[in-house]
């Protein structure tokens, strides 16, 4: 296994001292020919130029142990994302005795909605500026900031005594979620080999779904182990643990090599890229060429503006490629939320209690487990069949699941209060809702739940990536906020049939948008995408 310790200044100096030039000379081979024997069946070697074949080989090399370790530590932000959005599902069942102004009176739907959606609102604000901060200060410092916010918010929630203090704690956690979701996928994408970038970014989504499953399990365990007053406090307070673990793990994480090149730290970036690719000295030529491609992208960015946020926005919107990329990224991020998925993550325990399940939190674990399982399945498909085809195949399954849920809700009487644990066994239509929601979640996790986080970091030019990713992530959280604040009220006004039919209509429009405008960028280096994007749909 490669040493996970990041390169020191002396290592950077020693590595650079062995090189006679920072640029790749025309006579220097891209890589030691011996490495080519590891990939004898690459078609590029037979039909393309030798250099393009070698580049294709190297961009598709399996990630090194070092890359897996970097992805795992960065992925803890996804675990925190999932945990802090999932723990509210079981928490809502037990909050009233602790936070209600009138003892014995259930918290109103409005109070529950505000507590739930405050996280999304904060994440919306944080995600918009996270990319800009990451461009200015680096990826690692901003991930540290997210960890601090996670710890502070978790402890604040655990000590909450009323609705207002709970909302403040949820808001602080939301700031951490927004910062992490805006920076970590970009950080992973900038470190990953091109041929595995989709899969490594999907691991981040897998950490989100794993965090949600963990949250349901902790909620169920805490409810069975502690008093009603203490159980939810334990659940939200434990959210600080992964953040502390990530902050420690970051001590051994390198900075993004692409950001280092932007900051004139080319030699350090070269050493990090060499370790990430795991090529040794034999691959120096290829690493140098990749660094030079990054430099060219940086130089193009500098020829544009790099001033105020307003100037960055003007440059992004004034560029045809940037404007179209922003539209596509915002479209898929909006679809990810407005399809209603997080109504299940936030309110699944409430829904299953409402329709008669005796142990709604345990039943919710079926939904979270399905989400995790099919996210892992997407890990095996996203780079093989491509982003676009994955979406076009999976969205119809979401529509079918939503329509089946709407049909079943139409045959169930819903009462405004949550049934007690002594409720009768759920009727057949309640079981149909569980099955149809499982189908919906499986389809969601296979496609729109994973693709946007990969796509938004592939389609922007370097000078637009931070701001563009921040804006599209902000759109995601705006949609998340809308779903969180409206779901319970819409259920009361329109019933389950109306709400889930509405989500199905959103999915249909989303499928049409993907078919018309979404272009696949699988397997391309980020710098290569910048050049080819000008001639494509973007």
């Amino acid at each position: 296994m490669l040493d996970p310790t990041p390169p020191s200044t002396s290592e950077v100096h020693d590595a650079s001292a062995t090189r006679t030039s920072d640029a790749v000379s025309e006579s220097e081979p891209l890589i030691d020919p011996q490495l080519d024997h590891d990939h004898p069946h690459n078609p590029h070697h037979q039909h393309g130029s030798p250099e393009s074949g070698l580049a294709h080989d190297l961009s598709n090399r399996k990630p090194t142990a070092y890359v897996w370790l970097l992805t795992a530590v960065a992925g803890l932000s996804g675990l925190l994302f999932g945990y802090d959005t999932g723990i509210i599902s079981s928490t809502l069942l037990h909050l009233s005795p602790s936070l209600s102004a009138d003892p014995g009176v259930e918290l109103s739907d409005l109070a529950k909605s505000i507590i739930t959606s405050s996280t999304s609102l904060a994440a919306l604000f944080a995600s918009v500026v996270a990319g800009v901060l990451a461009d200015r200060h680096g990826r690692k410092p901003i991930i540290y900031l997210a960890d601090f916010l996670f710890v502070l918010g978790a402890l604040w929630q655990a000590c909450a005594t009323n609705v207002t203090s709970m909302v403040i704690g949820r808001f602080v956690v939301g700031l951490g979620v927004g910062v992490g979701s805006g920076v970590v996928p970009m950080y992973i994408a900038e470190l990953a080999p091109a041929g595995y970038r989709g899969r490594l970014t999907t691991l981040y989504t897998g950490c989100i779904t794993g965090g949600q499953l963990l949250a349901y399990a902790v909620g169920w365990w805490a409810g069975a182990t502690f008093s009603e007053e203490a159980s939810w406090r334990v659940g939200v307070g434990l959210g600080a643990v992964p953040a502390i673990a990530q902050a420690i793990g970051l001590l051994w994480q390198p900075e993004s090599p692409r950001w280092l090149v932007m900051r004139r730290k080319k030699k350090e970036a070269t050493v990090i890229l060499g370790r990430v690719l795991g090529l040794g000295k034999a691959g120096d030529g290829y690493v140098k060429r990749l660094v030079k491609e990054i430099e060219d992208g940086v130089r193009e960015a500098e020829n544009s503006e790099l001033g105020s946020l307003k100037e960055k926005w003007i440059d992004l919107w004034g560029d045809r490629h940037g404007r179209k990329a922003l539209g596509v990224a915002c479209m898929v991020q909006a679809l990810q939320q407005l399809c209603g998925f997080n109504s299940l993550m936030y309110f699944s325990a409430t829904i299953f209690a409402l329709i008669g399940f005796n142990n709604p939190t345990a039943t919710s674990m079926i939904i979270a487990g399905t989400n995790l399982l099919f996210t892992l399945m997407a890990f095996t498909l996203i780079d093989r069949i491509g982003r676009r085809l994955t979406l076009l195949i999976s969205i119809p399954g979401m529509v079918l699941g939503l329509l089946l849920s709407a049909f079943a809700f139409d045959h169930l009487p819903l009462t405004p209060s949550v049934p007690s644990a002594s409720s009768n066994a759920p009727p057949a239509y309640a079981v149909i809702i569980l099955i149809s929601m499982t189908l919906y979640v499986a389809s969601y996790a296979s496609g729109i739940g994973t693709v946007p986080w990969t796509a938004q970091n592939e389609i922007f030019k370097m000078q637009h990536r931070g701001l563009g990713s921040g804006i599209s992530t902000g759109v995601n959280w705006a949609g998340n906020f809308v779903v969180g604040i409206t779901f319970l009220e819409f259920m009361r006004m329109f019933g389950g049939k109306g709400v889930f039919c509405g989500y199905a209509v959103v999915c249909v429009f989303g499928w049409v948008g993907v078919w018309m405008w979404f272009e696949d960028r699988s397997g391309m280096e980020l710098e290569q995408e910048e050049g080819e994007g000008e001639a494509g749909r973007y």
Side-chain angles (χ1 to χ4, degrees):
M1 174 180 289
L2 288 169
D3 178 12
T5 307
S8 63
T9 305
S10 61
E11 286 179 295
V12 174
H13 176 76
D14 292 341
S16 62
T18 63
R19 297 171 172 83
T20 57
S21 172
D22 289 330
V24 182
S25 67
E26 293 182 1
S27 60
E28 181 180 18
L30 289 175
I31 190 169
D32 191 308
Q34 181 62 33
L35 287 176
D36 187 39
H37 295 304
D38 295 336
H39 305 275
H41 302 297
N42 188 343
H44 286 269
H45 293 293
Q46 299 170 19
H47 304 295
S49 69
E51 291 189 0
S52 65
L54 288 167
H56 181 274
D57 272 347
L58 294 172
S59 66
N60 286 277
R61 286 173 65 90
K62 290 184 178 180
T64 63
Y66 186 49
V67 172
W68 288 113
L69 180 61
L70 301 183
T71 303
V73 174
L76 285 173
S77 287
L79 184 76
L80 287 159
F81 180 159
Y83 186 89
D84 284 304
T85 55
I87 195 64
I88 196 65
S89 181
S90 60
T91 299
L92 289 175
L93 298 178
H94 306 293
L95 278 179
S96 293
S98 304
L99 304 185
S100 179
D102 299 316
V105 177
E106 183 79 11
L107 286 177
S108 67
D109 285 348
L110 178 60
K112 291 180 180 179
S113 297
I114 292 174
I115 289 171
T116 300
S117 58
S118 57
T119 299
S120 307
L121 183 62
L124 164 61
F125 295 138
S127 61
V128 172
V129 300
V132 177
L133 291 175
D135 282 347
R136 181 173 299 174
H137 302 290
R139 299 357 178 186
K140 274 184 64 176
I142 306 307
I143 299 175
Y144 271 122
L145 173 62
D147 288 331
F148 169 76
L149 293 168
F150 278 125
V151 172
L152 177 62
L155 298 180
W156 193 296
Q157 289 177 87
C159 298
T161 57
N162 53 49
V163 171
T164 300
S165 57
M166 186 66 178
V167 168
I168 292 173
R170 295 288 297 168
F171 192 89
V172 173
V173 162
L175 293 176
V177 170
V179 169
S181 65
V183 174
V184 172
M186 176 168 54
Y187 176 75
I188 295 174
E190 290 180 341
L191 283 170
Y196 285 80
R197 186 172 55 247
R199 275 167 276 191
L200 290 177
T201 309
T202 299
L203 278 184
Y204 171 77
T205 311
C207 289
I208 296 175
T209 59
Q212 290 165 341
L213 179 59
L214 178 62
Y216 288 141
V218 168
W220 173 79
W221 165 77
T225 305
F226 301 97
S227 66
E228 188 172 31
E229 165 74 22
S231 62
W232 68 267
R233 297 184 188 277
V234 171
V236 296
L238 286 174
V241 175
I244 295 172
Q246 183 180 55
I248 295 172
L250 280 174
L251 295 173
W252 290 273
Q253 294 276 99
E255 183 52 87
S256 162
R258 287 171 169 83
W259 184 83
L260 290 171
V261 172
M262 290 172 62
R263 295 302 173 187
R264 302 292 191 274
K265 298 179 180 180
K266 187 172 70 171
K267 291 182 172 61
E268 186 176 346
T270 301
V271 173
I272 291 173
L273 274 174
R275 297 186 68 189
V276 165
L277 293 172
L279 301 176
K281 290 187 176 181
D284 280 356
Y286 176 75
V287 172
K288 288 180 182 179
R289 195 186 85 165
L290 187 55
V291 169
K292 187 165 189 313
E293 288 177 356
I294 297 172
E295 272 193 299
D296 291 341
V298 170
R299 193 172 296 112
E300 180 183 345
E302 290 175 342
N303 290 335
S304 304
E305 49 67 48
L306 282 175
S308 67
L309 179 60
K310 179 180 179 181
E311 291 172 334
K312 288 176 180 290
W313 164 253
I314 292 173
D315 183 67
L316 170 60
W317 189 252
D319 181 77
R320 178 177 175 272
H321 173 279
R323 188 168 59 249
K324 291 187 175 182
L326 181 64
V328 170
C330 290
M331 176 189 72
V332 292
Q333 288 286 20
L335 175 60
Q336 186 186 84
Q337 294 301 325
L338 297 181
C339 69
F341 173 77
N342 275 313
S343 64
L344 299 185
M345 291 298 102
Y346 296 148
F347 303 111
S348 58
T350 302
I351 293 171
F352 290 133
L354 197 65
I355 62 179
F357 284 92
N358 291 334
N359 196 333
T361 301
T363 306
S364 298
M365 290 178 66
I366 297 175
I367 299 297
T370 301
N371 192 20
L372 175 59
L373 176 64
F374 280 85
T375 298
L376 296 177
M377 183 177 295
F379 170 80
T380 66
L381 297 177
I382 190 169
D383 284 319
R384 295 182 181 179
I385 69 174
R387 287 61 155 150
R388 186 171 186 270
L389 185 58
T390 297
L391 292 176
L392 293 177
I393 291 174
S394 60
I395 293 175
M398 295 169 59
V399 174
L400 178 60
L402 289 166
L403 293 179
L404 285 174
S405 293
F407 167 78
F409 269 113
D410 194 38
H411 292 79
L412 282 174
L414 299 181
T415 58
S417 61
V418 176
S420 66
S422 60
S423 301
N424 294 328
Y429 285 111
V431 177
I432 292 176
I433 289 176
L434 175 59
I435 295 172
S436 60
M437 285 184 176
T438 302
L439 169 63
Y440 165 73
V441 169
S443 302
Y444 172 93
S446 302
I448 196 62
T450 58
V451 168
W453 300 111
T454 301
Q456 76 174 21
N457 293 296
E458 293 179 327
I459 62 179
F460 290 107
K461 294 180 180 179
M462 181 181 292
Q463 68 265 34
H464 299 150
R465 192 172 298 146
L467 180 60
S469 294
I471 292 173
S472 54
T473 302
V475 169
N476 181 291
W477 285 109
N480 194 314
F481 173 75
V482 168
V483 170
I485 198 71
T486 61
F487 178 74
L488 292 178
E489 184 64 17
F490 279 0
M491 285 286 287
R492 186 185 66 80
M493 293 172 59
F494 306 114
K497 178 183 178 181
V499 170
F500 285 90
C501 279
Y503 292 151
V505 171
V506 171
C507 290
V508 171
F509 279 105
W511 187 93
V512 173
V514 169
W515 181 74
M516 292 181 63
W517 295 302
F518 189 92
E519 182 179 3
D520 208 316
R521 317 294 287 173
S522 305
M524 299 171 64
E525 292 287 358
L526 295 179
E527 289 69 40
Q528 180 186 4
E529 290 165 5
E530 292 183 14
E532 297 199 8
E534 297 288 356
R537 292 181 185 171
Y538 302 136

